[in-house]
Amino acid sequence: MRRRSLLAAGGLATTTGWMAGAGLLLPPTPARATEAVDVLLVLAVDVSRSVDEDEAKLQREGYRAAMTDPRVVEAVRGGAMGGIAVTYVEWAGAEYQRQLLPWTRIASQGEADSWSAALAEAPRASLSWTSISGAIDFSLRMLAEAPFEATRRVIDVSGDGVNNSGAPVEQLRDQAVAQGVVINGLPILNDRPSFGRRPALPLDQYYAESVIGGDGAFLVAAEDFEAFGMAVRRKLIREIANLSGPVREYA
């Protein structure tokens, strides 16, 4: 397979402003532009107002714990290249997406621990509405800018509501799939309506029909925010190791 051309080396030093200005703990320095990894993985996380402070903490801690889990690190090290590249994105309505952690190569327990520590220090925002389409569009831009090469590109979308802002989510999903990108889902099945409205479909069904797409795409549904950490771990192992399985799983 023909490799994608990479960004110039001068773009590798870019980090988010809060990290550079506040002197906070940074993830491992991204590797050279010529370095290949097994998968480029965008973790796209819902921070809309339907996610309260306690739920946001459970969500972020779920990603931190999952990435440092020895079983996930084993999956990372077991690939042909022995490493993955990850970026952490937060999103809400169509007007809000941000890259919270830059593209970072993870190939060891120590690098996973450093990434987790950096995520713990990152500030959190909360905004109105839910634009899964905006999250996918932004994630595609992040993949295009990634300073690594990989044969697999995956967007991992987690959230607790349906698309209610921006373009139709199916439109952006189809654009991503046409570019060879896989979208996997992690719907959080809580009972709270979004802005006073309940979705016409159960959220796991909605994700299955409208959000996920691409070769081998799947979702792992968290029954609630408490189950989120387990769902993230199972999902990361499967997508990093490129394992087959059912289209829908539950944690």
Side-chain angles (χ1 to χ4, degrees):
M1 181 177 293
R2 186 177 181 180
R3 293 183 170 179
R4 298 178 300 110
S5 60
L6 298 170
L7 297 180
L12 293 175
T14 302
T15 58
T16 52
W18 68 267
M19 295 174 122
L24 298 176
L25 183 62
L26 291 170
T29 302
R32 297 184 306 274
T34 55
E35 188 162 5
V37 293
D38 289 297
V39 61
L40 295 175
L41 179 60
V42 180
L43 302 177
V45 181
D46 181 4
V47 294
S48 60
R49 291 223 169 98
S50 61
V51 180
D52 65 26
E53 280 295 328
D54 290 337
E55 292 169 343
K57 183 176 181 181
L58 285 170
Q59 190 172 217
R60 189 172 287 191
E61 289 302 310
Y63 279 106
R64 292 186 62 232
M67 192 62 74
T68 57
D69 189 293
R71 289 164 289 188
V72 173
V73 175
E74 181 181 0
V76 169
R77 292 172 58 84
M81 301 299 173
I84 65 172
V86 181
T87 187
Y88 191 94
V89 167
E90 291 187 336
W91 56 273
E95 77 291 343
Y96 184 81
Q97 306 90 29
R98 66 171 177 168
Q99 185 185 33
L100 195 66
L101 294 184
W103 280 107
T104 304
R105 183 179 183 272
I106 296 177
S108 68
Q109 185 69 57
E111 289 172 340
D113 292 343
S114 294
W115 184 90
S116 176
L119 183 57
E121 297 291 342
R124 177 184 176 264
S126 179
L127 287 89
S128 298
W129 305 106
T130 301
S131 181
I132 303 174
S133 58
I136 294 173
D137 184 47
F138 185 79
S139 297
L140 287 173
R141 298 202 300 270
M142 293 299 96
L143 288 168
E145 296 172 5
F148 298 93
E149 292 182 341
T151 56
R152 291 192 296 125
R153 294 173 292 156
V154 177
I155 300 171
D156 185 333
V157 179
S158 68
D160 72 340
V162 301
N163 193 80
N164 57 28
S165 173
V169 65
E170 296 86 354
Q171 175 183 326
L172 272 298
R173 176 203 59 197
D174 293 346
Q175 288 181 21
V177 171
Q179 296 176 33
V181 174
V182 174
I183 302 173
N184 295 326
L186 207 167
I188 304 165
L189 310 180
N190 64 39
D191 294 328
R192 296 190 317 182
S194 179
F195 290 95
R197 299 189 300 272
R198 293 191 179 278
L201 297 174
L203 192 61
D204 55 332
Q205 184 178 346
Y206 175 79
Y207 264 65
E209 294 181 6
S210 297
V211 178
I212 67 172
D215 187 23
F218 68 98
L219 66 85
V220 178
E223 297 292 348
D224 51 34
F225 278 91
E226 296 290 343
F228 187 80
M230 181 188 302
V232 174
R233 185 185 69 239
R234 288 169 58 178
K235 189 165 181 294
L236 285 178
I237 290 173
R238 183 169 164 184
E239 58 199 358
I240 289 170
N242 200 22
L243 302 174
S244 60
V247 173
R248 296 193 215 182
E249 294 186 43
Y250 295 84

